[in-house]
Amino acid sequence: MFAANQNTSIADRANSGLNVTSNDYGLILEDLFPVVGVLICTVGSIGNFAVLFAFLTQRKLRTKLNCFLASLAFSDILLMGITVPLELEYHIRAKFIHGVVICDLMYTIHFLALSSSSLNLLAVSVYRYITIAFPFSAKLAQPIHIVASIAVLWLYAVITALLPLMGWRSGPSSIKFSLCVFMIEEEYVMFILTVNWVLPAVIVLILYVMIFRIARIHAIKIAKQQVLREYERIRSPLFKCAKTLGKIAIVYLICWIPYVTKTILLLWYGPSVPRAISLIFVLFYYANSAINPFLYAGLCTDFREVFSECARKVYNKLSLLCRRVSAFVHSVVSSLCSDSSRTGTHATERSRLRRSRKRARTRSRSSSQQPSVATFV
């Protein structure tokens, strides 16, 4: 348990790596960290909102498997929309300008996003394994069962994230010396990291090892031209999707393992990771939420088709808008040019008329001043 007079929490030290001397490389990363963080936050928020919007508006995307991906996108939205902006502001200002409620919210959403993302990845892996290993049993699963399982895992993630606010911490949160002091027990952090992250990650790895083992046996039978049973024929189109989900899981683990490992080492041995490396690890787990939408669009055929169609519609609308704006500008310029030409023509005619009138007056004046024949006689 951490003493109440400490100025930072465990998670805060894990993110910032306080009390570590920074070298020149670390100073450069200090300056680049908010820039890269804001870029990742912007891309991640837009991408995950696009995934969630496509899932809700396109009927063909509302499949059982995509329900888990939409849930994972919502988890990334919570991280990119609440925790990351507050952490970046905290880093840029070098002080916490909000109250205790926002301090509690920042760390609670952090734990919630960590738990829900790993549990969603575990759920989609379990579902994919069941569809491949037991294809006939998987057909019995109804959409309501998928929604209920997602609701249960989110309920569990919310409850575990709220445990510090329910009393599992060394003291209430406070703002001291312009720092967000979120006091929590070491046991709670170890519980979140081991039960809600490490254990699901290990199960995911085991499941995909078993899936690819089944795929290997399936490929050997096809190569030997053996007669496939009915359930084996059903498996054939599922292996490609399993491979796609495996890539998503690998990227997730690569992005989160450094941060989780660093936090566990911090709990056991104290601050042992240089600040520059700590910032890189934080950017890694930020980046996972920004990479996921591109993985969906690049690896999942249904998402790729929807995004391509949406991009084509947006391009057509922008092209139409540009043509209309160009036509409007052309008409305005033509109108101004025609008005100026008419104005110039009228001015020329008026000038010519004035000159002709002046010549007429001059001739009439000269004719009136010329002496007549009768006058000389």
Side-chain angles (χ1 to χ4, degrees):
M1 183 177 68
F2 281 76
N5 59 359
Q6 286 182 309
N7 291 331
T8 56
S9 65
I10 297 171
D12 197 26
R13 290 188 299 155
N15 283 338
S16 59
L18 295 177
N19 301 322
V20 178
T21 303
S22 299
N23 51 20
D24 294 338
Y25 182 64
L27 293 176
I28 294 174
L29 281 176
E30 285 279 355
D31 296 333
L32 290 179
F33 178 80
V35 178
V36 178
V38 169
L39 179 62
I40 292 174
C41 183
T42 303
V43 174
S45 298
I46 295 174
N48 285 289
F49 268 116
V51 170
L52 204 57
F53 179 78
F55 174 79
L56 295 175
T57 57
Q58 301 294 323
R59 182 178 294 275
K60 63 180 180 180
L61 288 182
R62 293 200 286 270
T63 62
K64 299 175 185 177
L65 179 64
N66 289 341
C67 288
F68 294 106
L69 298 182
S71 179
L72 185 60
F74 182 72
S75 176
D76 290 334
I77 287 173
L78 289 179
L79 186 66
M80 292 287 102
I82 299 177
T83 301
V84 174
L86 289 173
E87 288 182 353
L88 290 175
E89 181 192 35
Y90 196 2
H91 181 89
I92 294 171
R93 295 179 180 271
K95 61 180 181 179
F96 195 77
I97 63 172
H98 304 286
V100 175
V101 175
I102 302 300
C103 177
D104 287 338
L105 177 67
M106 181 173 67
Y107 284 104
T108 301
I109 296 298
H110 175 81
F111 293 128
L112 174 61
L114 184 147
S115 301
S116 60
S117 58
S118 61
L119 293 174
N120 274 296
L121 193 63
L122 174 61
V124 71
S125 301
V126 170
Y127 175 75
R128 181 48 63 197
Y129 173 75
I130 292 175
T131 56
I132 290 176
F134 312 101
F136 293 116
S137 300
K139 289 184 178 181
L140 299 177
Q142 299 298 320
I144 188 64
H145 300 149
I146 304 299
V147 174
S149 63
I150 293 175
V152 169
L153 71 86
W154 271 100
L155 179 63
Y156 171 79
V158 170
I159 291 175
T160 55
L162 291 175
L163 286 177
L165 302 183
M166 297 177 183
W168 196 356
R169 56 179 174 178
S170 56
S173 302
S174 60
I175 306 298
K176 295 181 180 179
F177 307 105
S178 298
L179 294 174
C180 171
V181 183
F182 189 81
M183 305 302 295
I184 49 178
E185 301 279 356
E186 290 183 4
E187 292 80 5
Y188 171 76
V189 179
M190 290 300 298
F191 164 75
I192 285 289
L193 294 179
T194 55
V195 177
N196 287 12
W197 197 91
V198 175
L199 182 60
V202 172
I203 296 175
V204 166
L205 290 176
I206 294 174
L207 288 174
Y208 279 105
V209 169
M210 297 171 66
I211 288 173
F212 288 119
R213 180 177 175 273
I214 296 174
R216 183 173 176 274
I217 296 173
H218 187 81
I220 292 174
K221 287 187 176 182
I222 293 177
K224 292 182 177 180
Q225 297 182 350
Q226 296 180 0
V227 178
L228 299 177
R229 300 174 184 176
E230 184 178 357
Y231 71 88
E232 291 177 327
R233 289 195 297 270
I234 295 175
R235 287 174 178 172
S236 298
L238 300 177
F239 288 123
K240 184 178 180 181
C241 185
K243 186 177 179 181
T244 297
L245 294 176
K247 293 177 181 178
I248 294 174
I250 289 173
V251 171
Y252 173 82
L253 294 176
I254 291 174
C255 290
W256 276 90
I257 280 177
Y259 176 78
V260 173
T261 304
K262 182 207 68 172
T263 306
I264 293 176
L265 291 176
L266 178 67
L267 292 175
W268 286 351
Y269 303 108
S272 57
V273 179
R275 181 172 175 78
I277 303 300
S278 177
L279 292 177
I280 293 175
F281 289 170
V282 172
L283 288 177
F284 260 69
Y285 89 78
Y286 285 179
N288 176 247
S289 298
I291 293 173
N292 281 340
F294 294 97
L295 291 177
Y296 305 153
L299 300 177
C300 301
T301 305
D302 46 0
F303 275 103
R304 183 168 62 249
E305 291 176 353
V306 170
F307 287 155
S308 299
E309 182 181 354
C310 292
R312 187 164 51 252
K313 289 181 179 180
V314 170
Y315 174 77
N316 292 335
K317 289 183 179 181
L318 289 177
S319 299
L320 179 61
L321 179 62
C322 291
R323 287 197 296 269
R324 288 180 178 178
V325 171
S326 177
F328 175 74
V329 172
H330 179 72
S331 64
V332 170
V333 172
S334 300
S335 176
L336 292 175
C337 291
S338 61
D339 290 343
S340 62
S341 62
R342 284 196 297 270
T343 303
T345 302
H346 292 164
T348 304
E349 291 178 355
R350 286 195 298 270
S351 178
R352 187 183 300 114
L353 183 60
R354 284 197 298 270
R355 286 197 298 271
S356 62
R357 287 177 179 177
K358 185 177 181 180
R359 286 196 297 270
R361 285 197 299 270
T362 303
R363 283 197 295 270
S364 64
R365 225 182 264 118
S366 61
S367 61
S368 62
Q369 292 177 358
Q370 185 178 4
S372 62
V373 178
T375 304
F376 286 101
V377 176

